[in-house]
Amino acid sequence: MSPALRIGAIGFGLIAVCYGFARFAFGQFLPQIDSDLGLGPSLSGIISGGSFAGYCIAIFASAVLTERIGARAVAVGAAIVAAAGMAGIALAPSPLILAIAVVVAGSSTGLASPPMAAAVAAAVRKSRQDLTNTVINAGTSAGVALSGPIALAIAGQWRLAFGAFTAVAVVLALAAAVSLPASRGRQGAGGLPPMNGPVARLIFASFLMGAASTALWSFGGHLVSQQLGWGPTGTGILWTCIGAGGIAGAWAGTLVGRFGLDPVHWTFLGLMSASIIAVGSGIATPALALIGGALFGAAYVMLTGVYLVWGTHALPDRPATGLMIGFLTIAVGQTAGAPLFGFLMAGPGAGPAVICFTVIALLAGAFRARSATRRVAA
């Protein structure tokens, strides 16, 4: 098996478990968790924001650790942390224990991405690196798509679902230990990256996109429950559509190579805005909500692929750090966005919250890649 295929397959699975199960499945099961533990919109937003905050700390640590102890050790650690956090969610007896477990589970995603970028840079030939990185990144969608049918099959039993997700994470830890290279990145790498033009614009764009995305990642289940009266079955179908749509993100590297970073960036920010309206507006029909979910999945994963390529080309000698910058600021945006959406939903209502977050998504398009785009073209 070629290095691209082996690393791509393990990375795809690891990202599916850490992002799709450990981080984003919480939003799918939130209505049932809220019903069992009595969270409410504001506390739900704070807990979701805590998950993103854990991610912020972990992805910074992951980039540093990958450059010091190697990709394999950090990737295995990510799977183990995901398993521990999801086990905690499955067993949580109170909102406090749940919040701690959600933060631990969410932090696994921060640990997972930088070592995969380093493994690709070390073992995959240059011409296939962007494609391999964006295929791995699309594992998010596979995890989300699988969590939907699992929720349907077990009739909304969120504790059982997170128990099953824990077992899958343990399997991925073993697979990563056997299959990934122990690369550490370029000798002498370390410290803060240079804040050049492409890096600074990447920070602003990814922050705004991350904030906007929490409208559906954290509150998609609440929105369709409130606006359309959907229960666990409807929410599970919506999550399946989000995950299935996100598989399109595997082609982010190909689209960026053909059309450039900025046109792909603008196009999918527009689709994200449209998808938030489609799912969250008061006039949404069931069919429109499902189509919006699929568009959201495609837009989100495509945009994370754009920021991945943007970061690795802005800092070509430090791919783990380049990825970390974009993904960290996505999570910082999500940390700010989830509580804000929760407070808006609890105050002015779902409609104003949806409109506000649609505008935030469009504002991210004001920031351009420029010189990073020229590196991709080269």
Side-chain angles (χ1 to χ4, degrees), residues 87-170:
I89 294 172
L91 299 172
S94 67
L96 176 60
I97 301 301
L98 175 72
I100 294 171
V102 168
V103 170
V104 172
S107 69
S108 72
T109 53
L111 293 173
S113 295
M116 295 316 307
V120 169
V124 177
R125 70 176 186 266
K126 192 74 172 177
S127 63
R128 295 185 64 83
Q129 286 181 8
D130 285 348
L131 176 60
T132 304
N133 273 322
T134 52
V135 166
I136 290 171
N137 186 56
T140 300
S141 303
V144 173
L146 285 172
S147 69
I150 290 171
L152 293 175
I154 62 177
Q157 296 295 317
W158 58 275
R159 294 186 187 275
L160 180 59
F162 279 100
F165 297 160
T166 299
V168 177
V170 172

Side-chain angles (χ1 to χ4, degrees), residues 16-356:
V17 168
C18 291
Y19 280 81
F21 292 172
R23 186 174 177 194
F24 291 130
F26 177 74
Q28 176 186 183
F29 290 99
L30 185 55
Q32 293 86 54
I33 297 173
D34 184 11
S35 177
D36 288 350
L37 298 179
L39 304 179
S42 296
L43 182 56
S44 296
I46 292 171
I47 291 175
S48 295
S51 171
F52 298 131
Y55 174 94
C56 294
I57 296 169
I59 196 169
F60 181 81
S62 179
V64 174
L65 289 171
T66 297
E67 292 178 349
R68 292 186 178 181
I69 67 174
R72 181 193 301 147
V74 179
V76 171
I80 293 171
V81 169
M86 291 188 291
I89 294 172
L91 299 172
S94 67
L96 176 60
I97 301 301
L98 175 72
I100 294 171
V102 168
V103 170
V104 172
S107 69
S108 72
T109 53
L111 293 173
S113 295
M116 295 316 307
V120 169
V124 177
R125 70 176 186 266
K126 192 74 172 177
S127 63
R128 295 185 64 83
Q129 286 181 8
D130 285 348
L131 176 60
T132 304
N133 273 322
T134 52
V135 166
I136 290 171
N137 186 56
T140 300
S141 303
V144 173
L146 285 172
S147 69
I150 290 171
L152 293 175
I154 62 177
Q157 296 295 317
W158 58 275
R159 294 186 187 275
L160 180 59
F162 279 100
F165 297 160
T166 299
V168 177
V170 172
V171 172
L172 259 296
L174 296 174
V178 171
S179 302
L180 293 182
S183 57
R184 299 187 181 186
R186 182 175 63 85
Q187 287 291 335
L192 294 175
M195 284 296 125
N196 55 32
V199 171
R201 289 188 293 272
L202 169 61
I203 289 171
F204 286 111
S206 55
F207 174 86
L208 291 170
M209 190 283 285
S213 72
T214 59
L216 296 191
W217 279 135
S218 295
F219 290 93
H222 264 306
L223 287 170
V224 295
S225 176
Q226 178 177 312
Q227 307 282 32
L228 298 172
W230 286 4
T233 299
T235 305
I237 294 172
L238 174 65
W239 240 249
T240 301
C241 289
I242 290 174
I247 298 296
W251 284 272
T254 301
L255 290 179
V256 167
R258 181 167 183 177
F259 299 107
L261 278 167
D262 288 328
V264 177
H265 188 214
W266 297 331
T267 298
F268 285 93
L269 285 171
L271 286 178
M272 174 175 281
S273 297
S275 69
I276 294 171
I277 291 288
V279 175
S281 67
I283 59 172
T285 64
L288 183 61
L290 295 179
I291 292 170
L295 286 177
F296 175 78
Y300 182 84
V301 178
M302 189 68 69
L303 288 166
T304 57
V306 165
Y307 299 139
L308 189 161
V309 173
W310 188 339
T312 56
H313 283 269
L315 295 173
D317 293 330
R318 301 177 64 185
T321 299
L323 179 147
M324 178 271 291
I325 291 171
F327 281 29
L328 171 62
T329 47
I330 290 172
V332 172
Q334 290 168 328
T335 303
L340 175 60
F341 194 96
F343 291 133
L344 288 173
M345 193 171 177
V354 165
I355 292 171
C356 176

